[in-house]
Amino acid sequence: MSAPQASVCVLPTLQAEEDLLDTFYKLVWYIAPYRDQLLSLGFPLHPRLLMHYPTPASLLARPLPSHVDPACQRLAHELIDRLHFVPSECPAYWEMLGNAQMFFLWDEQGYQNSLDALTCAATFSKTLIRADRHRNPYDGFTEVDGMTGISRHSVSDAQNGIQRFAELARQVKDEGIDKCYIIGTGPNLQLMRDHDFSDGYSIITTSLLGNRDFIARIQPRLVCIVDCVYQLGFTTYAQRVREELIPALYQYPRLQVFTRLQFAPLMRQSLPADLHDRIIACPMLGNVPFNADLLRGFYTRDIPNVLTIAMLPVAATLARTIEVMGCDGSPAPTRDVWDYAPGANYTGEMQILDIAHPAIRQRDNRAYLNQHNAQVAEVLSIIENGGCSVRSLTPSHIPALAQRQQSA
C-alpha cells in the first residue's frame, strides 16, 4: 500500500455554522473512499466560528443536520486524525495552504473576492475543485472527479469491470436469452403490471427498487447507477436509495450494479464488503463515438442520461431484441424534468436535495430535454444499424421511442 500523498484544503474561510456543517459532511463523504491516499483535510475557520467548533471532534459532538446521512458521522470519526480546523490568517493557515495539493472551493464568489497575493501564490498551479452547492449545478460530480485524480484503484476497478461484464454476457448467452427489457420509471409503466418478463432479462435504475412487488416479478439482472448525488450522495435521500439497493442485492443473487468507473470507490463505501464483487464499473468517456459492443471495447459514451449512457449500450451488447417501457420522457420540462410511476422514485423527499445541492435547480431543463430526445434518436439509429430491433411497449414523449411504439 502506498503512503498517503494528498493534502486537501477548503477555501475560502468558513464563517457560518450552516456552511461548515454542510461542507464538512459533504467532503467527508466524497473523500473517505480515498482515505489510503489522504494525508490531511483542512478547514480554515473564522475565529468566531472556531470558538464554537475548536476541533472536528467538537463538531461531531453536535446534532447531525437532518439532511445528512448518519454514515457521514461514522466516516468522520474514522478519519478524525486527518481532519483539521485551522484559524484563518495565521501561520498555521498559510502552512496548510502551502502544503495542500488540492483545494475545494465551497464559495466560489467568496474565494474570488478574497484573493490576495499570498493566496494566489499558495494555490498557483494547484488543483481547484468546484464544491459550491449554491453555484455549481454539478456539485457532487466535481468532488468525485477531483478525488479520482488521486485514486490508485482505477486500473484494478476497470479490470474487474471487464471480467464481471464478460461473465454476465457468458451467463446470458448460456441461458439462451436474446431479449432485454429496459425498464424506466415513467407513469406509463403501470400499463405493464401484468406483463410476463420471463423471456428476457431486465435492466432497471434505483428509482424502481422501492416498488418491491414489481421488482419481484421482473427479477432484474442489472441496476444502473450513474449519479453521485441522487444515488451515491451524502444526503438522507441517497441513504434511502442505498437502503433499497442493499436488500435487493441480497434478495436477488444474480442482480449486479453497473456504474461509472470513477464511482467504484463510492459504491464500495455504500455497500457491505460481501457485495463488492457485484459492482461492474465501466469507463464512461466524453468525446468518443457511441459504443454498442462493450465486449469489443469496455466503455460507454458519457451521455447525460442513464438510458443512453448505460441501459441502451448494455442491452445492445447482450441482446438482439430490446423492449423499452416506462421511458415516458416529458411533453415539457417541469421542475423535476420527469414524472414517475407510483412506487418509483422518492419525489416527496426532493426538498432534501434542494437543501444539500440547491444549484441543481439552475440546470436548463428545456435544453436538457431537447438534448436527450436528440441523443436517444441518435443512439437508437446506431443500435438498429448494428442489427438490434428496438420497440417501446408503452407510450412515450421521446419522439424516437414514440416512433417505435408497439403494444405489448
Side-chain angles (χ1 to χ4, degrees):
M1 181 180 296
S2 58
Q5 61 184 28
S7 292
V8 181
C9 179
V10 172
L11 282 177
T13 296
L14 290 145
Q15 303 191 38
E17 180 184 58
E18 176 187 352
D19 293 325
L20 170 61
L21 291 172
D22 192 89
T23 302
F24 179 86
Y25 284 115
K26 177 177 69 173
L27 291 185
V28 163
W29 174 261
Y30 286 119
I31 289 176
Y34 309 91
R35 66 184 70 191
D36 291 346
Q37 298 298 104
L38 180 67
L39 188 62
S40 67
L41 171 58
F43 297 82
L45 271 57
H46 190 280
R48 289 193 304 270
L49 188 58
L50 200 64
M51 290 176 60
H52 297 284
Y53 297 102
T55 65
S58 64
L59 183 149
L60 292 174
R62 303 289 182 92
L64 192 70
S66 61
H67 67 282
V68 174
D69 182 346
C72 295
Q73 206 164 35
R74 171 182 56 79
L75 293 171
H77 279 290
E78 294 173 2
L79 295 174
I80 195 69
D81 61 332
R82 282 172 262 190
L83 306 176
H84 306 283
F85 289 174
V86 176
S88 59
E89 307 296 329
C90 73
Y93 168 79
W94 295 113
E95 181 181 3
M96 178 176 68
L97 264 60
N99 291 334
Q101 291 85 40
M102 185 183 302
F103 297 89
F104 285 92
L105 305 183
W106 73 270
D107 177 4
E108 296 172 10
Q109 189 63 53
Y111 170 73
Q112 294 293 333
N113 293 341
S114 64
L115 274 179
D116 54 33
L118 289 176
T119 306
C120 286
T123 59
F124 180 72
S125 76
K126 297 183 180 180
T127 304
L128 302 179
I129 306 297
R130 300 183 68 193
D132 188 336
R133 71 185 192 276
H134 294 290
R135 295 180 178 87
N136 178 12
Y138 298 95
D139 182 40
F141 282 88
T142 47
E143 286 86 341
V144 172
D145 286 343
M147 295 308 298
T148 299
I150 70 167
S151 175
R152 57 184 183 83
H153 300 291
S154 296
V155 173
S156 60
D157 286 335
Q159 291 172 337
N160 289 334
I162 292 170
Q163 294 170 3
R164 291 167 186 167
F165 188 79
E167 175 60 19
L168 170 64
R170 185 195 64 77
Q171 292 173 6
V172 170
K173 182 178 180 180
D174 288 350
E175 293 164 11
I177 299 174
D178 199 31
K179 177 187 287 189
C180 173
Y181 290 107
I182 291 178
I183 304 177
T185 53
N188 286 325
L189 184 61
Q190 298 177 81
L191 301 174
M192 306 304 296
R193 57 184 176 270
D194 297 323
H195 189 75
D196 180 4
F197 294 91
S198 62
D199 60 341
Y201 70 95
S202 299
I203 302 176
I204 65 169
T205 71
T206 56
S207 299
L208 199 60
L209 291 172
N211 193 334
R212 297 182 181 179
D213 291 340
F214 192 73
I215 291 294
R217 289 185 51 242
I218 65 177
Q219 301 280 314
R221 294 292 292 270
L222 211 60
V223 56
C224 295
I225 295 181
V226 297
D227 186 283
C228 62
V229 171
Y230 291 81
Q231 299 166 313
L232 292 176
F234 75 107
T235 64
T236 51
Y237 181 102
Q239 175 193 4
R240 181 171 171 186
V241 173
R242 293 186 285 270
E243 288 174 348
E244 299 281 6
L245 173 63
I246 292 170
L249 288 169
Y250 281 123
Q251 185 172 358
Y252 304 106
R254 298 194 301 173
L255 178 61
Q256 293 177 279
V257 177
F258 188 85
T259 191
R260 295 176 183 265
L261 177 61
Q262 66 263 45
F263 290 0
L266 268 178
M267 282 300 326
R268 285 192 293 271
Q269 176 171 280
S270 302
L271 298 178
D274 61 333
L275 294 176
H276 289 180
D277 62 357
R278 310 276 282 279
I279 301 169
I280 300 175
C282 177
M284 298 181 182
L285 310 174
N287 301 317
V288 297
F290 178 81
N291 180 21
D293 188 350
L294 275 61
L295 293 174
R296 179 173 297 178
F298 190 62
Y299 68 91
T300 71
R301 180 180 168 190
D302 193 352
I303 305 174
N305 185 275
V306 66
L307 177 63
T308 45
I309 194 175
M311 302 174 92
L312 281 169
V314 169
T317 301
L318 301 182
R320 296 292 87 189
T321 300
I322 301 172
E323 298 190 340
V324 183
M325 63 189 71
C327 293
D328 293 11
S330 176
T334 63
R335 186 170 185 265
D336 299 315
V337 185
W338 317 117
D339 294 322
Y340 293 90
N345 205 33
Y346 313 110
T347 51
E349 301 175 30
M350 289 295 291
Q351 69 274 12
I352 295 171
L353 297 179
D354 291 339
I355 296 170
H357 303 280
I360 287 178
R361 298 301 183 189
Q362 297 174 17
R363 298 179 186 178
D364 187 338
N365 288 345
R366 184 178 297 276
Y368 169 73
L369 189 62
N370 291 337
Q371 179 190 47
H372 177 58
N373 288 342
Q375 289 170 338
V376 171
E378 175 192 0
V379 167
L380 292 185
S381 177
I382 293 172
I383 287 174
E384 289 173 335
N385 287 338
C388 291
S389 67
V390 182
R391 64 172 181 162
S392 178
L393 301 186
T394 57
S396 177
H397 294 288
I398 300 173
L401 288 178
Q403 294 165 9
R404 294 164 172 84
Q405 183 183 338
Q406 180 176 338
S407 299

